[in-house]
């Protein structure tokens, strides 16, 4: 599954990329697509699933579906 995780901070995006690597999911830091909002402007594009425990730095996780997105996780209050 191709996903994008947006984070509340750049540091959170770096930490989430590390989590992806621990799970052996290919991951890259990239600018957030215009269609998705983000507090820091950096996101993680990765191939994997939603982690069992999503770090508190993660704002949302979406699956890339065709030309759009399907929300898989959204932090409370976002």
């Amino acid at each position: 599954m191709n996903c994008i995780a947006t984070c509340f901070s750049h540091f959170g995006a770096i930490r989430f990329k590390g989590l992806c690597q621990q799970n052996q999911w290919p991951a890259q830091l990239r600018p957030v697509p215009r269609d998705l909002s983000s507090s820091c402007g950096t996101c993680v594009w990765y191939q994997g699933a939603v982690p069992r425990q999503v770090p508190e730095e993660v704002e949302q996780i979406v699956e890339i579906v065709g030309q759009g997105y399907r929300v898989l996780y959204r932090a409370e209050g976002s």
Side-chain angles (χ1 to χ4, degrees):
M1 178 170 19
N2 293 317
C3 298
I4 299 172
T6 62
C7 299
F8 294 109
S9 69
H10 182 72
F11 179 72
I14 291 170
R15 285 187 54 175
F16 188 80
K17 182 178 183 255
L19 175 66
C20 291
Q21 291 171 331
Q22 287 175 358
N23 286 301
Q24 298 181 342
W25 299 335
Q28 296 178 349
L29 292 175
R30 293 188 182 178
V32 176
R34 290 184 187 174
D35 297 352
L36 303 174
S37 70
S38 176
S39 298
C40 73
T42 303
C43 69
V44 180
W45 289 56
Y46 72 100
Q47 292 178 328
V50 176
R52 288 184 192 149
Q53 289 206 294
V54 177
E56 63 183 33
E57 297 101 346
V58 175
E59 180 179 15
Q60 69 178 339
I61 298 174
V62 298
E63 178 184 12
I64 301 168
V65 180
Q67 297 296 319
Y69 309 101
R70 180 172 66 100
V71 176
L72 302 176
Y73 168 83
R74 187 180 310 262
E76 285 187 37
S78 292

